Amino acid sequence: MTEEPARSEGREPPLEERLAAIRDRIETAAQAAGRSPAEITTVVVTKFQPLGLVRELAALGVRDFGENRHQEARDKAAALPGLRWHFVGQLQTKKARQVRSYAQVIHSVDREQLVDALAAPGVPVEVFLQVNLTDDPTRGGAAPADASRLAERILAAEGLRLLGIMAVAPLEEEPRSAFARLRKLAEAVRSVVPSATAISAGMSGDFEAAIAEGATHLRIGTAITGSRPPRA
Ligand SMILES: *Cc1c(COP(=O)(O)O)cnc(C)c1O
């Protein structure tokens, strides 16, 4: 006897198939852009998903996981310490040190106070400078005009290694043109910190456009995990 699928839309394909299908699409998009898929890291965003799903993905060879809430990220990282944890959500200054203690990569560094709160001696944490590509200042990310200054601040901070730049494409814009703007900003940041060559961009709905514009780190959730359980 088989279990009925819980969701009303019907049965979703198995995790392994979804993962393989996304890996194929990443490879195809990389080849179309004249890039090697080997230079692209896929971070599977497992926010709101149970630990069991993370375990299944790890068994399928996934090593990089993304979370956007401190408590959930901390608990998952404590349960599965051998994986690489990427913090991708807006980060409060008072939680910065704690996130640093379990996350290997923080994608959402977007203001000077947060740089100062994250700075600490010891094993460096890898960070992305997040920029806001929308006109809405309440969204996460530094204003594009502040990106170079923030890059300098990160460079000067103890125990932070700037990998590059990160953004979420605005809903109201063609993703490819937003990611083209991000690529220009990445060049400006690289002129300040030459080693900051990475670009974290591309989610379930737009990762192919991000690959075409040079993304090195994709943050993909639902296209791999299936729909998210409702928020607690
Ligand atoms: C949730 C989230 C993602 C993944 O979104 P999907 O549409 O599920 O792929 C990527 N980046 C950030 C910052 C997120 O919060």
Side-chain angles (χ1 to χ4, degrees):
M1 229 176 84
T2 56
E3 261 179 53
E4 282 301 307
R7 295 183 185 87
S8 55
E9 317 91 282
R11 199 181 291 273
E12 296 186 284
L15 191 59
E16 188 168 9
E17 274 177 32
R18 284 196 302 263
L19 181 64
I22 296 301
R23 283 178 169 157
D24 275 355
R25 283 172 58 189
I26 291 168
E27 201 174 311
T28 302
Q31 278 160 1
R35 303 180 56 200
S36 163
E39 67 187 53
I40 298 171
T41 299
T42 301
V43 178
V44 181
V45 179
T46 47
K47 62 189 184 199
F48 309 118
Q49 300 287 0
L51 199 57
L53 186 98
V54 181
R55 281 212 178 85
E56 274 183 72
L57 286 162
L60 295 169
V62 175
R63 280 292 161 270
D64 291 271
F65 290 89
E67 289 286 335
N68 74 340
R69 292 190 306 182
H70 162 57
Q71 289 192 7
E72 184 179 348
R74 178 196 60 198
D75 294 350
K76 284 175 172 165
L80 296 167
L83 305 171
R84 273 172 71 75
W85 293 94
H86 297 247
F87 193 85
V88 304
Q90 288 194 32
L91 180 50
Q92 289 173 265
T93 305
K94 64 178 186 207
K95 307 234 171 102
R97 282 294 189 97
Q98 294 178 68
V99 170
R100 190 192 158 118
S101 72
Y102 58 79
Q104 282 74 39
V105 190
I106 300 174
H107 290 240
S108 46
V109 176
D110 62 357
R111 58 199 190 280
E112 294 188 348
Q113 303 96 291
L114 183 56
V115 173
D116 297 345
L118 281 168
V123 182
V125 64
E126 298 183 331
V127 302
F128 284 92
L129 185 172
Q130 183 180 358
V131 291
N132 181 357
L133 297 177
T134 75
D135 298 324
D136 175 0
T138 67
R139 304 284 287 273
D146 296 335
S148 295
R149 189 155 45 88
L150 197 55
E152 278 171 13
R153 186 80 162 220
I154 295 169
L155 184 64
E158 189 175 15
L160 301 185
R161 196 160 85 77
L162 183 62
L163 294 185
I165 197 163
M166 177 276 210
V168 174
L171 288 173
E172 60 283 356
E173 183 180 349
E174 200 57 51
R176 178 91 193 244
S177 76
F179 292 140
R181 288 194 287 131
L182 184 64
R183 187 180 222 168
K184 284 254 158 55
L185 288 168
E187 283 163 21
V189 165
R190 209 177 315 148
S191 72
V192 178
V193 184
S195 59
T197 55
I199 299 177
S200 169
M203 308 182 8
S204 290
D206 57 22
F207 67 86
E208 282 138 329
I211 290 169
E213 294 297 341
T216 60
H217 290 65
L218 314 175
R219 307 177 313 271
I220 302 181
T222 50
I224 291 172
T225 63
S227 43
R228 277 187 278 273
R231 281 162 193 265

